[in-house]
Amino acid sequence: MLEHITAAPPDAILGLTEAFKLDPNPHKVNLGAGVFVDEQGRTPILATVKAAEAALLAAAQTKSYMPIAGDPQYRRLVQELVFGAGHPVLAAGRAQTAQTPGGTAALRVGADFLHKFFPQAAVWLSQPTWANHRGVFAAAGFAVKDYPYYSAATQDLDTPALLAALRQVPAGDIVLLHACCHNPTGVDLTPAAWAEVAAIAAERRWLPFVDFAYQGYGDGLEADRAGVLALAERCPEMLISSSFSKNFGLYQDRTGALTLLGADAPGTAAAFSNIEIAIRVNYSNPPAHGALIVRHILKTPALAQQWRGELDAMRQHITGVRHKFVEGLKRHGVPGDYSFIARQKGMFSFSGLTATQVAWLRAEKSIYIVGGGRINVAGITPANMDYLCTAVAAALQA
Ligand code: LMR
């Protein structure tokens, strides 16, 4: 049966990491997958995560199953992170959260749940978007469509085109929005644009599905929820996927959450019970380790405060790298104005490099960038900055 199956292409993002590992060039630079790297080129375990792990190891009594929807206290703490403690939707019981293995599982569980009840709906993705969004929603059975988002000409949000397209999305369809640190462009909606999007969603009656993978990497934990809060103000229903890969550095521990917002508590509970079914048939119940770390940190005031400091430091580091990268390109005589890189938010920069230039950088310089020209700015270090800038200058002339 299997002999006629042809090989799948490597993953557009994680496939780069594998190719990078095999590359013998000592100067190689991995700017592919969205992973934070410090000045020394390491992806460290946060001190608060180490402290939580030590406490968990000492206190652990059992490896018995988690509930299908995960740990109850973690689920509550995630809601407070997403909406802010004391937000009216929490007091009204309108939010239910499931602990999931990373943000990807949150997207997939949400997609499976929605497809069961709305198989005719289309899912609308920003053009461009994270390479895996299309795969996840298509795998769940959805027709996937695009809405305009980014203007290459202005290196900014194409707000008129975005709003016009969202006004045309039919009622009952699903629109995937990035809460902050848009992946791959680093260009976010302004508060005014969020208010308009929320009003359009409420009026047109399509369902927002918000990917919140980078909370704290844009302008800070609170500021980054502005889009979610604008939607919650106007829209009775939405889904939100959270990831703690980046803000807690828990990449390999697959730690995330899916939050469902409903019009009232009983309706939310009924719908959420079907999310539990979607989980049960996918992976039964979530892995514990990462979520217990997040729970321990968030429920321990001193650790929670220390973690905020660690997160702020990672964000500020990336902002610093953005500015140094812009200066470096200028210093190496790269023509054009690259100041837009310093304005972008989160880990990524949409560099404007063409597919040919991206391929050339990989083949000739062992610099790994996602097709489409997305650079993981968080992967640039003092040690590789000059090599990178020289190579980009050469790529533009090649
Ligand atoms: C990325 O976009 O690089 C990250 O979210 C890692 C991934 O899973 O693709």
Side-chain angles (χ1 to χ4, degrees), residues 35-54:
V35 175
F36 178 83
V37 172
D38 67 12
E39 292 262 300
Q40 285 75 40
R42 298 168 312 194
T43 301
I45 300 175
L46 301 189
T48 48
V49 168
K50 278 279 194 196
E53 284 186 314

Side-chain angles (χ1 to χ4, degrees), residues 65 67-70 98-102 104-106 108-109 256 258 275 277-287:
Y65 292 121
I68 292 171
Q99 171 194 331
T100 60
T104 306
R108 180 58 195 265
V109 165
L258 175 66
I275 287 185
I277 302 287
I279 291 170
R280 178 69 169 142
V281 299
N282 258 302
Y283 52 84
S284 189
N285 54 83

